[in-house]
Amino acid sequence: MRYSRTSKILGIAAVVALSLSACGGGGDDKSAAGGGDTSRVIIADGSEPQNPLIPTNTNEVGGGAILDLIFAGLISYDADGKPQNEVAESIETKDSQNYTIKLKDDQKFTNGDPVTASSFVDAWNYGAAAKNAQLSSYFFESIDGYDEAAAEGSTVEKMSGLKVVDDKTFTVKLKQPESDFKLRLGYSAFYPMPAEALKDPKKYGEHPVGNGPYKFDGEDAWQHEQQIKLVPNEGYEGPQKAQNAGVTFKIYQNDTTAYQDLISDNLDVLKVIPTSDIKNFKNDLGDRSIESPYAGNQTIAIPYYLDNWKGEAGKLRRQALSMAINREEITKVIFNGGRTPAKEFTAPVLEGYSDSIPGHENLAYNPEKAKELWKKAESIQPYDKSEKLTIAYNADKGDHKTWVEAVVNNIKNNLGIDVAGKPYATFKEARTEATAHKLTGAIRSGWQADYPSLANFLGPIYTTGAGSNDAVYANKKFDAAINKGLSAETVEQGNEQMNKAQEMLLADLPAIPLWYQVAQGGWSTNVDNVKFGWNGVPLYYAITGK
C-alpha cells in the first residue's frame, strides 16, 4: 500500500481487465531500444520517506518509489500490471496451500552478496515478528505460523510455514489454500534483504543495499528533505533494466514549485499535477501530459479512538459527514472533472467493481438526511464541541489544501459544526502521527494499489490490526469476510465476498470515500519514452533523454 502508496490479488483476470484502461502516455510509445539518450540522469519529483528504507516497514509513496527501483522481488509487474518472473525461476503448487519457490542462478545484491532462499525467508520472518513492529507485517498473515510470530509480546521470530531447502529453494505453507498467493509476491513487503540488513536495520535503512535495477549513488545518496540519487545497478539483468544514467528524486515542499520547474525544464517528470494547474496543464504541456484512470482513491479516515466518533452515535455522525460532502461539485469545480465521485472503497478499473453495493447511498450528497442523522446521533450521545473536528493533510505534496477547504465548507454549511483543515508541513509528519495513533481528528488517506485487486483496498486498511488501519477499525465479521474472499475458489466468488465485506464498510464508514484518482502528470522537453503504469506511477527505468 501504499499511501498515496502498504493486499492480496484476486486473480490474473483482474490484471487483464486493468490493462485495458489504466496506463498510457501522451508522447511516443517507442522503447529505449528504438531511440533515446540513455546517458541522461532523470530528475523526478519525490517526497521524503516516512521511515528508513526497510521493505517491510514502508507503506507510503515516498519510500515505496525508491524501494521499487532498488529491489527486485520474486516477480514484478509490467506496465499493464501483468506478472512476470524476476528473481524466481519458478513458483509451483499442487494444492494452492503449499508452494515451492526456486530462484534463478547468479542473483546478487549490490554489495556482492548472493541472493539466496534465506534472503527471502529471513526478511519475511523479520517482517512478521511482533518485536520488530513492521508496518507491513499484515502481508504475511496468510503464512502458517504468522499468528504466533505476530502476537503482541511474542518471542517467536520465525514462521513455521517458511522452510529453506537449499540456497536456491524454499517452501511456503499457507494457513489455507489461496491460489492467488504467488501473484502478491511483487509487492515490496516480499523483497529479499541481505544479512547485513537484519544485523542493524536502522543503519541499513539509511543506505539500503538491494538487488534491483538501481542502487544508491554513494554514501550521501540520501540527502534528507532534499534529494535521493539512484544510479543503474550494472549487475541487474531483469525486465526493468535501466534505460538511463540514473534517477534523482528531488524532494519538493509543494507541487506548485515542482510544476513550475517542469514547465521550465528543470524537472523531467512530475507524477501529480497541482490542483491549481489542472485546468491548464494540457495546454501547457500538450502531448507531454497524461490523464488516465488508475487504481487509486482518496478518502478521509476518522480514528475510533476519538470520543465523538465511537459507537452508534459515531456511526451516525460518520454517515452524516459523508452525506454532507458534495463530491460531484468538488470533482467538477476543483478537479475540472478529473476525478470521479466514489461509490465504494476500491476503484472502477478493477475487476469485480460495483457501484451499487448496498450502503452506497451513504456516499451520495444528501444534506437533509445528513442533518437528520446528526440529530439522531445527538440524542444518543451529545457531540463534545471541545473535541474540534480537523482534517489533517500534508502541505508538501498533492496540493490537498484546496479540496480539503471545500470539504470543510460543505460540512460547516450543512451540519453547522466547527471544522477546519489541519496542514502538516510534510507527508512524513502526517503519516508519523497516523501510525502512532496520535491524530486529534480525521486525516486524508488516499491509496495507491500494490496489486490490481479489490482486496488490496480493503484488507491492508480495514482489517483488525492492519498496518495501514488509520481509523483503528476492528470488526471481526469484516475480517472473516475478507478471509473468505481470499480463500475463494474463483475470482468471481472472491470478488463477491469482497463486496459483501464492503457492505459493512459502507455502513460503518471507518473512512469516508471521496473520489477515484486519475493519473495526471507530465514531463519536460528533455526526455522521451515516458509512460505511466497501471498504478499511476511513471516507469522511471524506461525514460530516456531526447
Side-chain angles (χ1 to χ4, degrees), residues 126-272:
Y126 176 83
K131 74 184 189 74
N132 298 321
Q134 298 293 281
L135 291 174
S136 293
S137 64
Y138 166 87
F139 288 88
F140 306 106
E141 185 183 42
S142 296
I143 300 174
D144 203 30
Y146 170 84
D147 293 341
E148 292 76 12
E152 185 175 355
S154 173
T155 58
V156 177
E157 297 185 25
K158 295 182 179 180
M159 291 179 283
S160 58
L162 295 179
K163 302 291 183 185
V164 173
V165 177
D166 56 43
D167 280 353
K168 297 294 175 61
T169 312
F170 67 101
T171 60
V172 184
K173 181 181 179 181
L174 306 183
K175 299 175 187 175
Q176 63 185 12
E178 294 182 5
S179 59
D180 65 303
F181 175 70
K182 66 180 181 181
L183 297 178
R184 308 169 200 165
L185 298 177
Y187 177 55
S188 57
F190 295 99
Y191 288 158
M193 286 193 284
E196 70 175 64
L198 306 183
K199 293 177 182 177
D200 190 345
K202 185 176 181 180
K203 179 180 178 181
Y204 172 84
E206 290 294 318
H207 198 280
V209 171
N211 62 321
Y214 292 87
K215 61 183 179 180
F216 267 34
D217 184 16
E219 291 299 321
D220 62 347
W222 187 355
Q223 298 173 25
H224 289 277
E225 307 294 347
Q226 297 182 45
Q227 64 181 12
I228 299 176
K229 298 173 65 177
L230 308 180
V231 294
N233 171 14
E234 59 278 3
Y236 174 84
E237 295 295 339
Q240 301 184 73
K241 193 172 181 63
Q243 301 300 311
N244 48 57
V247 180
T248 295
F249 287 91
K250 187 176 179 180
I251 297 171
Y252 286 90
Q253 299 308 309
N254 64 76
D255 284 341
T256 300
T257 302
Y259 185 72
Q260 291 305 313
D261 274 359
L262 183 72
I263 295 296
S264 59
D265 283 340
N266 291 319
L267 179 69
D268 288 327
V269 59
L270 179 64
K271 188 173 71 172
V272 179

Side-chain angles (χ1 to χ4, degrees), residues 4 13 60 111 202 246 249 262 324-325 356 362 374 376 379 383-384 415 466 499 505 509 515 534:
S4 352
E60 43 73 36
N111 65 354
K202 185 176 181 180
F249 287 91
L262 183 72
I325 300 170
S356 56
N362 286 335
W374 193 270
K376 187 175 180 181
S379 69
Y383 184 74
D384 182 359
L415 294 178
N499 286 334
L505 293 184
L509 293 177
W515 40 79
W534 65 274

Side-chain angles (χ1 to χ4, degrees), residues 389-437:
L389 177 62
T390 57
I391 301 175
Y393 64 94
N394 55 297
D396 59 337
K397 300 293 294 181
D399 198 13
H400 301 293
K401 179 181 179 180
T402 306
W403 70 258
V404 169
E405 288 181 344
V407 168
V408 163
N409 288 333
N410 278 175
I411 296 170
K412 280 183 177 179
N413 294 336
N414 291 319
L415 294 178
I417 63 172
D418 191 11
V419 58
K422 183 179 180 178
Y424 283 78
T426 65
F427 189 45
K428 176 181 178 179
E429 290 178 20
R431 290 303 321 145
T432 298
E433 291 282 291
T435 301
H437 299 165

Side-chain angles (χ1 to χ4, degrees), residues 228-514:
I228 299 176
K229 298 173 65 177
L230 308 180
V231 294
N233 171 14
E234 59 278 3
Y236 174 84
E237 295 295 339
Q240 301 184 73
K241 193 172 181 63
Q243 301 300 311
N244 48 57
V247 180
T248 295
F249 287 91
K250 187 176 179 180
I251 297 171
Y252 286 90
Q253 299 308 309
N254 64 76
D255 284 341
T256 300
T257 302
Y259 185 72
Q260 291 305 313
D261 274 359
L262 183 72
I263 295 296
S264 59
D265 283 340
N266 291 319
L267 179 69
D268 288 327
V269 59
L270 179 64
K271 188 173 71 172
V272 179
I273 300 296
T275 304
S276 57
D277 294 292
I278 284 177
K279 291 183 179 180
N280 301 316
F281 84 102
K282 292 180 183 178
N283 289 331
D284 290 343
L285 299 173
D287 64 0
R288 294 183 287 111
S289 65
I290 179 177
E291 184 173 65
S292 180
Y294 74 92
N297 65 18
Q298 188 71 257
T299 66
I300 298 172
I302 309 176
Y304 278 86
Y305 51 78
L306 302 176
D307 289 337
N308 280 326
W309 305 95
K310 296 178 178 178
E312 183 63 22
K315 179 178 178 178
L316 293 170
R317 288 193 179 103
R318 291 165 187 271
Q319 293 176 1
L321 213 66
S322 177
M323 293 184 189
I325 300 170
N326 193 337
R327 296 165 179 78
E328 291 282 354
E329 183 178 62
I330 292 173
T331 54
K332 180 179 180 180
V333 175
I334 293 178
F335 295 108
N336 199 36
R339 304 286 189 276
T340 305
K343 305 292 185 182
E344 44 77 270
F345 282 78
T346 68
V349 297
L350 301 173
E351 183 185 14
Y353 166 83
S354 172
D355 62 2
S356 56
I357 299 171
H360 71 278
E361 59 273 10
N362 286 335
L363 306 188
Y365 182 53
N366 190 340
E368 294 306 315
K369 180 68 172 178
K371 291 182 177 71
E372 291 177 18
L373 292 171
W374 193 270
K375 184 177 180 180
K376 187 175 180 181
E378 286 291 280
S379 69
I380 298 173
Q381 177 186 329
Y383 184 74
D384 182 359
K385 295 182 180 179
S386 68
E387 188 183 89
K388 180 179 178 180
L389 177 62
T390 57
I391 301 175
Y393 64 94
N394 55 297
D396 59 337
K397 300 293 294 181
D399 198 13
H400 301 293
K401 179 181 179 180
T402 306
W403 70 258
V404 169
E405 288 181 344
V407 168
V408 163
N409 288 333
N410 278 175
I411 296 170
K412 280 183 177 179
N413 294 336
N414 291 319
L415 294 178
I417 63 172
D418 191 11
V419 58
K422 183 179 180 178
Y424 283 78
T426 65
F427 189 45
K428 176 181 178 179
E429 290 178 20
R431 290 303 321 145
T432 298
E433 291 282 291
T435 301
H437 299 165
K438 293 182 178 180
L439 294 171
T440 58
I443 185 171
R444 81 99 192 159
S445 192
W447 190 259
Q448 172 190 304
D450 305 308
Y451 314 107
S453 71
L454 298 182
N456 185 222
F457 284 80
L458 305 176
I461 314 175
Y462 304 111
T463 53
T464 304
S468 300
N469 191 341
D470 287 349
V472 197
Y473 180 61
N475 184 333
K476 291 183 179 179
K477 290 183 178 179
F478 174 79
D479 297 347
I482 293 294
N483 192 53
K484 187 175 181 180
L486 293 173
S487 61
E489 293 183 1
T490 67
V491 173
E492 292 75 20
Q493 291 173 352
N495 286 335
E496 183 179 343
Q497 287 302 318
M498 292 300 159
N499 286 334
K500 283 286 185 183
Q502 284 207 71
E503 292 182 29
M504 297 177 232
L505 293 184
L506 286 166
D508 295 341
L509 293 177
I512 296 173
L514 297 177

